[in-house]
Amino acid sequence: MKKNTIIYIVVGALVLAALAVGGVIVVKNRNHDTNNDPTETNWNYDYENGQTNYTVNEPVAGEPVTNENGEVIELVTDEEGNTYEAVLETNVAGEIVTNADGEKVTVNKKPVSTTKKPSTTKKPSTTKKPSTSSVGGLNSGDKVSNNNTVEIDKNGNANIVKPDGTIALSYSYDAEGNYFYTDDDPWQRNFGFNRLYDMGAVFTVMYLDTVHVYYSYGDYDWMIQLWKGQYGFLFIGSEIGLYYKEPGKSTAHYNCAEEDMEIMMQMTLYREGRGELFTRPYKSHWWTTAFVPGKLKKFADRSELTMIAKLTFKTADEAKVFCKALESRTDVDGNRFKAVSSISKNNPETYVRKGATVDFVWRYLDDDRKTPTKPTTTSAPTTSKAPDETTQKPTAPTTTQAPTTVPIM
């Protein structure tokens, strides 16, 4: 055997002997050098006789037991039969720290009686109790479309659960505003938007009015879409969404706006005879939504709902382009937006622009309406002005329902 190898073995044995004889009392203060990596498993601990490295064992099998302070503990018994609650040292990853001999490092130990032991196992029973079975007018077990049911989870969210037990949709609840809404970064954000989604809405028992506002500004073609109406048999609500695509693309599919593209939005929904249903506060969004439990008088007529909204664009020039595109929208009833000096809930299809901010009132216009529903808005003028046909303006052609640069599927 080489002389150097013998020397290394002897030195190693002496070091181990010194550790065994000198003792290893851990001081609570520790130096942790992880190179900013919280998963690093090498830890340096201070000892009475210097420093040495400790390693971290994998967590013990099963869920670790914690005390009321959330510390990982285990019950140990000494040679005299005394039982102690030992608080184990853990790293930031929640792994139990052990010393060089494989022993678990404890922060402190305190005597406990055998009657206190069950208290650590009974604690979860208090957290498992449902926070509530009813939130915002919804109850767990409420039936919705396609044999789905409502389930109120422990956080107060309303989940739409399929018959097989999987969650189809999840709505958060705003207790202050008393409405449900979808989170700002839901799974839908990965799929963008195209007209096929609107076409398929009726098959999911969604009866909605909608307005698509197409315009080009800066580096992209943009679409802002409005919705309001009946969402399944469960909710009445409304939405505003911001979408974009590369200019010149013939596809009608749009991407959901990125975070740096978001604009400030505010949305209030009113119901005829009921007043205000909710208000989503003025905040930065790409998609703002709100829903309350209820059913419309007639699913086919969503005009009992009125939306008042505020949008603030990046620049005043973009707001101007948006307003021009908003005025171009019309439906089979001839409903269209017009500029006014001030908006009122009782004066729908109007807007006001101040700099980069646009406030508007929307009630009747529906891009997807195929047959007239309010003949008084179009037929009444034709009968009263029949003798003066030379001055009567024709109803806007349906070809203006979408810009020529954006194909409608």
Side-chain angles (χ1 to χ4, degrees):
M1 181 178 295
K2 293 182 180 181
K3 182 178 180 181
N4 289 341
T5 303
I6 296 174
I7 292 173
Y8 293 150
I9 293 173
V10 172
V11 171
L14 290 174
V15 170
L16 292 175
L19 288 175
V21 173
V24 287
I25 302 176
V26 179
V27 180
K28 178 63 177 174
N29 239 342
R30 64 176 182 266
N31 301 319
H32 175 205
D33 181 12
T34 63
N35 297 321
N36 296 322
D37 181 4
T39 62
E40 176 65 53
T41 57
N42 290 326
W43 294 68
N44 294 326
Y45 282 80
D46 293 332
Y47 284 81
E48 287 185 349
N49 62 342
Q51 291 188 342
T52 187
N53 287 333
Y54 271 67
T55 59
V56 175
N57 282 350
E58 293 295 326
V60 294
E63 292 293 330
V65 177
T66 59
N67 60 17
E68 62 272 17
N69 298 321
E71 301 169 316
V72 177
I73 64 170
E74 70 174 5
L75 298 178
V76 296
T77 304
D78 61 14
E79 296 177 353
E80 299 178 3
N82 299 315
T83 301
Y84 294 87
E85 178 185 276
V87 178
L88 304 180
E89 186 65 36
T90 58
N91 63 8
V92 293
E95 300 166 322
I96 298 171
V97 178
T98 61
N99 62 21
D101 296 327
E103 299 169 340
K104 298 173 184 177
V105 178
T106 60
V107 179
N108 56 58
K109 292 191 296 184
K110 61 180 180 179
V112 296
S113 64
T114 55
T115 57
K116 288 187 177 180
K117 183 176 180 181
S119 64
T120 60
T121 57
K122 285 185 177 180
K123 182 185 175 183
S125 64
T126 59
T127 59
K128 288 182 179 179
K129 184 176 67 175
S131 58
T132 180
S133 60
S134 178
V135 172
L138 289 185
N139 302 299
S140 288
D142 283 351
K143 300 293 184 181
V144 293
S145 58
N146 301 324
N147 295 320
N148 298 332
T149 57
V150 175
E151 178 185 276
I152 308 299
D153 65 22
K154 63 181 180 180
N155 297 318
N157 299 324
N159 299 318
I160 308 303
V161 181
K162 297 179 180 179
D164 62 4
T166 58
I167 296 177
L169 293 170
S170 183
Y171 298 91
S172 300
Y173 177 67
D174 187 294
E176 183 177 353
N178 193 29
Y179 58 79
F180 294 87
Y181 65 97
T182 54
D183 293 329
D184 288 342
D185 195 24
W187 59 267
Q188 291 96 326
R189 194 168 193 173
N190 299 318
F191 296 94
F193 183 83
N194 64 60
R195 292 300 304 275
L196 290 177
Y197 299 171
D198 284 340
M199 295 168 65
V202 68
F203 298 106
T204 56
V205 199
M206 292 189 181
Y207 298 89
L208 310 174
D209 288 341
T210 187
V211 177
H212 308 78
V213 184
Y214 303 96
Y215 66 97
S216 296
Y217 185 81
D219 297 329
Y220 300 104
D221 291 338
W222 301 91
M223 179 183 72
I224 289 182
Q225 185 164 0
L226 317 174
W227 296 267
K228 63 180 176 70
Q230 186 73 46
Y231 291 77
F233 296 123
L234 188 64
F235 286 126
I236 295 171
S238 58
E239 312 168 62
I240 302 175
L242 174 63
Y243 307 88
Y244 77 99
K245 70 181 181 70
E246 300 293 335
K249 282 190 174 182
S250 58
T251 177
H253 185 83
Y254 282 75
N255 303 310
C256 299
E258 305 293 337
E259 186 173 356
D260 61 348
M261 298 174 175
E262 293 179 357
I263 63 175
M264 299 294 289
M265 299 182 182
Q266 178 177 301
M267 175 181 65
T268 301
L269 190 68
Y270 297 87
R271 185 176 183 184
E272 187 177 26
R274 307 283 183 91
E276 180 181 328
L277 296 180
F278 55 76
T279 293
R280 284 305 307 265
Y282 185 59
K283 291 180 62 177
S284 178
H285 291 287
W286 73 273
W287 183 37
T288 182
T289 67
F291 314 93
V292 293
K295 293 182 181 180
L296 297 175
K297 295 176 183 177
K298 296 180 181 179
F299 286 4
D301 182 8
R302 282 80 66 179
S303 65
E304 63 178 290
L305 299 177
T306 299
M307 175 195 290
I308 297 182
K310 178 192 298 290
L311 305 177
T312 299
F313 295 86
K314 304 293 186 184
T315 67
D317 287 338
E318 183 176 4
K320 288 181 183 178
V321 175
F322 168 80
C323 289
K324 185 176 181 179
L326 183 65
E327 287 184 348
S328 72
R329 307 310 296 162
T330 188
D331 62 13
V332 295
D333 288 321
N335 296 307
R336 64 173 65 240
F337 282 89
K338 63 180 179 179
V340 294
S341 58
S342 63
I343 60 171
S344 166
K345 179 171 68 70
N346 299 321
N347 189 18
E349 276 64 54
T350 56
Y351 75 88
V352 172
R353 183 185 69 83
K354 294 182 180 179
T357 298
V358 179
D359 294 88
F360 61 86
V361 184
W362 171 44
R363 179 174 183 179
Y364 295 111
L365 198 156
D366 180 12
D367 281 348
D368 292 344
R369 184 175 293 119
K370 304 303 180 184
T371 57
T373 60
K374 296 177 287 297
T376 56
T377 61
T378 55
S379 61
T382 57
T383 56
S384 61
K385 292 186 178 182
D388 188 16
E389 294 181 355
T390 58
T391 60
Q392 184 179 357
K393 293 183 179 180
T395 302
T398 57
T399 55
T400 61
Q401 286 188 355
T404 55
T405 57
V406 182
I408 302 300
M409 299 181 67

